[in-house]
Amino acid sequence: MTNNDVSLTGQATDHGEVLCLGEALIDVVAREGQETAEHVGGSPLNVACVLSAMGHAPTIGAWWGDDDRGHRIAQYAADHGVKVVPGSDGAERTTVAYAQLDREGRATYTFDLLWELPELTELDRVGHLHTGSIAATLEPGGTQVVNAVKAVREHGTVSYDPNVRPAIMESPEAVRGRVEELIGLCDVLKASDEDVSWLYPDTPVEDVMREWITMGPALVVVTRGPWGAYARLAGNRDMLVVDQLTVKLADTVGAGDSFMGGLLSGLLDAGLIGSREAVEILRAADWDAVQPALHRAVTTSGLTVSHHGAHAPTREDVQGVLDEDSSLAR
C-alpha cells in the first residue's frame, strides 16, 4: 500500500469497516402522464445510503464513468455520507437503468451498463461486506465480487441480495450457479418472492428457504410485499412471519434495498454480524435476538415506499415509527 492509498471508509467502526460492492448508476424513471426524471440509484449504493442514514460508516465500491452522470453519483454518495473506493469512476461511461413505473408505482427495468470492480485494498479491515444484484452475476466484475467475498469471509461477515434483473441475467439457468455459490458464501441472505419465483418457478417460497438455509447462511429472509417478510434462522426450526408497515404507497423504487439496509443496521447494532465471532452468535440466536433487526428492516422499507425514489430513512425517522408502535421495538 502506497502513501496515496486510503482505507475503505477512512475510519474503523466497532464492527470493522462496512463495504458495499455493486452497481451505482442513474435511474431514468418514466411514469405514465409525467415527465421522465433521472435519479441516482443502484442496489448496493442504496443499501450504503440507508446504512449511512442509520449512523454507520459504509463505503461503496462501484463502476461509473468520469462523466456528468458519474459526477452526480459521486456527489450523491458524498451528500449521503458514503465514501467511495478510489477508482470507482474508471468506466468508459456511467450505467443507466431505465425504470418504467406502472399505475401502482411498481418498476420494471432495462439497462445500459458496464461492470467491473476498482482495485480493492485493505480488505482485512472490512468487518462486513454486502453485495448482490447485477454486480454478482455480470462479468468481469462478478468473478471479482466472488473473490472479494471469499477474502472478507476469512475474518468478517457477508450479506447477499440476488435482486434479480431478468433483462440482464437472461435466464435462471444462466445465473443460478453463481447465485447459489454466493448463497453458500454469505451469512445473511435477503431476497424477494419475485426473485424466488424467477429463480425457482416451480418451487414454493417456503421450500426454497428451507433449501437455502442448508447451504450456509445463518439468516435467510424473503420479502413478500403486502404479506410482509418470512425469515429463517440456521439454529431454529420455526419460520417467522413479520408483518409489513402499513403506509400509503408512492412507488417501490429502492424498497428491497431499504429493507436490506435496515436489516444490516439492526444486526450490526446487535453484534450479530461484523466478525466471524458475531455470526456464530447469530447462528445460535433465537428470534428474540433477531426480531428488532427485522422490525427495523420493515420500518425502513415502509418509510421508503411512502416516498418517491430510493429514500433513505434516518434513525430519527425510524424512532418516530417505533414511538407510535412500540411492538416494533421488540
Side-chain angles (χ1 to χ4, degrees), residues 2-329:
T2 70
N3 291 334
N4 293 326
D5 291 329
V6 298
S7 67
L8 290 171
T9 67
Q11 65 182 54
T13 69
D14 291 341
H15 319 286
E17 299 178 354
V18 178
L19 173 64
C20 297
L21 290 182
E23 65 273 13
L25 46 76
I26 297 293
D27 284 319
V28 179
V29 181
R31 184 190 293 267
E32 185 177 345
Q34 298 184 18
E35 292 186 7
T36 299
E38 292 195 6
H39 308 280
V40 175
S43 177
L45 177 58
N46 291 340
V47 172
C49 288
V50 173
L51 284 167
S52 178
M54 296 299 294
H56 304 279
T59 296
I60 181 73
W63 195 240
W64 62 73
D66 184 12
D67 51 28
D68 288 345
R69 283 171 165 164
H71 299 162
R72 287 176 57 193
I73 293 172
Q75 187 60 55
Y76 183 90
D79 290 345
H80 286 77
V82 176
K83 293 188 180 291
V84 175
V85 173
S88 290
D89 60 353
E92 292 181 7
R93 64 182 183 277
T94 296
T95 291
V96 178
Y98 297 92
Q100 180 68 49
L101 300 182
D102 63 20
R103 292 181 179 180
E104 295 180 346
R106 302 183 187 281
T108 55
Y109 293 89
T110 56
F111 296 87
D112 172 26
L113 73 132
L114 302 171
W115 173 238
E116 295 183 37
L117 273 182
E119 183 180 0
L120 300 175
T121 62
E122 296 189 321
L123 284 176
D124 58 322
R125 295 186 57 166
V126 175
H128 185 80
L129 184 154
H130 171 72
T131 193
S133 196
I134 302 162
T137 60
L138 185 69
E139 298 298 352
T143 296
Q144 296 171 316
V145 167
V146 171
N147 290 337
V149 164
K150 289 178 178 178
V152 170
R153 199 175 186 276
E154 292 294 316
H155 58 272
T157 52
V158 175
S159 56
Y160 173 55
D161 179 357
N163 201 12
V164 163
R165 295 289 182 251
I168 297 299
M169 297 179 181
E170 297 182 356
S171 71
E173 293 75 20
V175 299
R176 195 182 293 129
R178 170 58 57 76
V179 168
E180 292 183 348
E181 179 183 13
L182 282 164
I183 290 172
L185 291 170
C186 79
D187 302 294
V188 177
L189 171 64
K190 190 237 93 177
S192 70
D193 52 3
E194 292 177 343
D195 297 334
V196 173
S197 64
W198 188 81
L199 286 165
Y200 309 95
D202 300 319
T203 309
V205 167
E206 296 87 346
D207 291 347
V208 172
M209 293 181 69
R210 290 189 191 96
E211 180 64 22
W212 279 351
I213 203 72
T214 68
M215 293 182 181
L219 173 65
V220 172
V221 183
V222 174
T223 57
R224 307 215 63 191
W227 298 282
Y230 291 175
R232 281 196 172 277
L233 280 170
N236 194 303
R237 66 181 300 276
D238 296 323
M239 184 180 75
L240 183 70
V241 178
V242 185
D243 290 338
Q244 70 160 350
L245 187 69
T246 302
V247 297
K248 182 178 180 181
L249 177 67
D251 64 46
T252 63
V253 175
D257 304 328
S258 187
F259 186 102
M260 186 87 245
L263 177 63
L264 295 179
S265 172
L267 293 173
L268 285 165
D269 284 355
L272 297 174
I273 56 173
S275 68
R276 296 318 300 170
E277 294 78 14
V279 82
E280 289 308 312
I281 298 172
L282 178 59
R283 288 188 178 281
D286 58 21
W287 286 119
D288 286 343
V290 178
Q291 271 186 278
L294 290 165
H295 287 158
R296 185 178 297 183
V298 168
T299 303
T300 53
S301 180
L303 290 169
T304 293
V305 301
S306 68
H307 293 74
H308 290 291
H311 172 70
T314 65
R315 280 186 183 265
E316 291 74 21
D317 295 332
V318 172
Q319 189 59 49
V321 174
L322 298 180
D323 290 342
E324 292 181 4
D325 184 356
S326 60
S327 67
L328 290 170

